[in-house]
Each structure stands twice: as structure tokens, then as C-alpha cells.
């Protein structure tokens, strides 16, 4: 009888393994057919039973308008770029003419000491990057003759303009100098509201990284 008992034990073990395999296969098939339903059920239960998860989902849903608002704040619209410019040492233009280019937009004045201080670095940047960047320097609260005299005395050749149409509230400088580097389609890539060294290595690298596109 010992041999019979051994056979019976092996047979029993084999049946158990086969039964377990059948259950496993059925479970896998059920999961494959119903995974989406199970996922949605788990998602809904999480919202109902976990307050912190419910708050997270609500924030994500409400975030879309906020993201759109941020996008509007960091982009000049076509209407805001529609700024008529009278050229002082270049032909007249409209800022929107340059919307497909990288734009260096600077608001300054001959009466502004910090503007005068940063101007040599702008000229150097212009000499180095004028083939990659459209420079637009707008003299504010200034007389055209005073601007021409300033440019001639210092032998500056950067393109300078006077605005002849209203400047949008978003673009209008609150202090001088104010500089924007604007990407294609009006995206504001950089904004500075004080005098800077525009001929620094970091500025050159920044411009090179965007002028490739």
C-alpha cells in the first residue's frame, strides 16, 4: 500500500496545481476583458473615499483656465504686436512685421542714465547677432532730434524707432530701461526691467539657443 499512497499523494498534488492554474487563467482573462471597468471603478472609489485625491482631481480640472491665463500673460497677441513705428535711423515699420523672428525689444530714453549705461552692451550684441535677431529700440518720452544727436555722438547703429500708435498695457514699460526678448509668434522669452550687460556670455548663449529654431 505504500506505493499506492504515494501515487495518490502525487495525483492529489497534481490536481491542486491544475486547479490553481485554471483559476489563474480565468483571473487573467477576466482582468484582460475588464481592466478598463476596474480602473474606472477604482478611480471613482478613490474620489469618493479619499478626500485628498478628490481635491487633487478638482485642482487638475480647474487648472486648465489658469494655464490659459498664464499662456496669455507670457505671450504678446497679434493685436499687442500691432505697434506702428517711425524709424529714426531706419525705415518705418510695424512690430508685427517681425513676428516670425526673434526680437530684441528695448524701451529706453536719452534722458535715462541707466539706459545710456547699458547702451554700449546693446550695440555690441547688435554687432554680433544682427543676422539672427531683429533689434527694435523704442525711444520713449524723447524728441527725435535728441535721439539722432545721441546716436551720432556715440556712433551707435542699432535700429531705433519712435512709437506712433498706442502701446498695449502688457507691453508698456513701468520702468526704464525695459527689455523683452520675444520668440516667434509673440512668446516672451525674457524680460528685464533694469539695466543689464547685454554682451555677456549668458545672453549670447540664450539667444543662440532660441535663434536655431
Amino acid at each position: 500500500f505504500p506505493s499506492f499512497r504515494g501515487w495518490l499523494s502525487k495525483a492529489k498534488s497534481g490536481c491542486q496545481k491544475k486547479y490553481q492554474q485554471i483559476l489563474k487563467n480565468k483571473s487573467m482573462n477576466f482582468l484582460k476583458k475588464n481592466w478598463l471597468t476596474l480602473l474606472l471603478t477604482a478611480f471613482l472609489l478613490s474620489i469618493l473615499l479619499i478626500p485628498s485625491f478628490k481635491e487633487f482631481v478638482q485642482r487638475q480640472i480647474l487648472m486648465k483656465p489658469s494655464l490659459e491665463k498664464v499662456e496669455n500673460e507670457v505671450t504678446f497677441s497679434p493685436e499687442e504686436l500691432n505697434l506702428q513705428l517711425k524709424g529714426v535711423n531706419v525705415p518705418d515699420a510695424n512690430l508685427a512685421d517681425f513676428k516670425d523672428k526673434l526680437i530684441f525689444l528695448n524701451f529706453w530714453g536719452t534722458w535715462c542714465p541707466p539706459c545710456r549705461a547699458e547702451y554700449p552692451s546693446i550695440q555690441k550684441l547688435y554687432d554680433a547677432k544682427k543676422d539672427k535677431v531683429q533689434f527694435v529700440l523704442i525711444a520713449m518720452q524723447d524728441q527725435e532730434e535728441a535721439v539722432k544727436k545721441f546716436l551720432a555722438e556715440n556712433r551707435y547703429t542699432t535700429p531705433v524707432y519712435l512709437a506712433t500708435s498706442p502701446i498695449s498695457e502688457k507691453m508698456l514699460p513701468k520702468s526704464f530701461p525695459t527689455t523683452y526678448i520675444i520668440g516667434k509668434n509673440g512668446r516672451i522669452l525674457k524680460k528685464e526691467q533694469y539695466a543689464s550687460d547685454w554682451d555677456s556670455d549668458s545672453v549670447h548663449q540664450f539667444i543662440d539657443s532660441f535663434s536655431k529654431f
Side-chain angles (χ1 to χ4, degrees), residues 79-112:
E79 292 76 19
E80 290 167 328
L81 289 173
N82 184 21
L83 178 61
Q84 197 62 40
L85 304 169
K86 179 182 180 182
V88 175
N89 57 349
V90 289
D92 296 351
N94 189 298
L95 188 58
D97 296 340
F98 313 127
K99 63 182 176 61
D100 294 326
K101 299 179 180 180
L102 192 63
I103 303 173
F104 181 94
L105 175 62
N106 175 270
F107 291 95
W108 69 289
T110 60
W111 47 267
C112 165

Side-chain angles (χ1 to χ4, degrees), residues 72-162:
N72 290 334
E73 289 176 351
V74 298
T75 304
F76 288 129
S77 67
E79 292 76 19
E80 290 167 328
L81 289 173
N82 184 21
L83 178 61
Q84 197 62 40
L85 304 169
K86 179 182 180 182
V88 175
N89 57 349
V90 289
D92 296 351
N94 189 298
L95 188 58
D97 296 340
F98 313 127
K99 63 182 176 61
D100 294 326
K101 299 179 180 180
L102 192 63
I103 303 173
F104 181 94
L105 175 62
N106 175 270
F107 291 95
W108 69 289
T110 60
W111 47 267
C112 165
C115 303
R116 286 174 171 264
E118 75 169 358
Y119 213 113
S121 68
I122 295 177
Q123 179 65 50
K124 290 178 181 178
L125 181 65
Y126 171 73
D127 291 337
K129 303 297 182 184
K130 59 185 174 183
D131 293 334
K132 296 182 177 181
V133 182
Q134 182 66 48
F135 283 76
V136 179
L137 282 76
I138 300 179
M140 300 286 287
Q141 303 171 19
D142 234 324
Q143 298 296 319
E144 184 174 354
E145 289 307 314
V147 176
K148 287 182 176 179
K149 180 181 178 182
F150 173 78
L151 297 176
E153 288 177 349
N154 293 279
R155 297 182 180 179
Y156 292 141
T157 58
T158 51
V160 177
Y161 302 87
L162 301 174

Side-chain angles (χ1 to χ4, degrees), residues 32-90:
K32 288 180 180 179
K33 292 179 180 179
N34 299 278
W35 67 271
L36 183 58
T37 301
L38 292 171
L39 184 63
L40 290 174
T41 301
F43 180 78
L44 292 173
L45 286 174
S46 298
I47 292 177
L48 293 173
L49 301 177
I50 307 174
S52 60
F53 185 74
K54 180 179 180 180
E55 293 173 2
F56 171 78
V57 173
Q58 289 175 333
R59 285 198 302 270
Q60 299 307 307
I61 294 172
L62 294 173
M63 189 178 290
K64 185 177 179 181
S66 298
L67 290 175
E68 291 176 352
K69 182 179 178 182
V70 170
E71 182 66 22
N72 290 334
E73 289 176 351
V74 298
T75 304
F76 288 129
S77 67
E79 292 76 19
E80 290 167 328
L81 289 173
N82 184 21
L83 178 61
Q84 197 62 40
L85 304 169
K86 179 182 180 182
V88 175
N89 57 349
V90 289

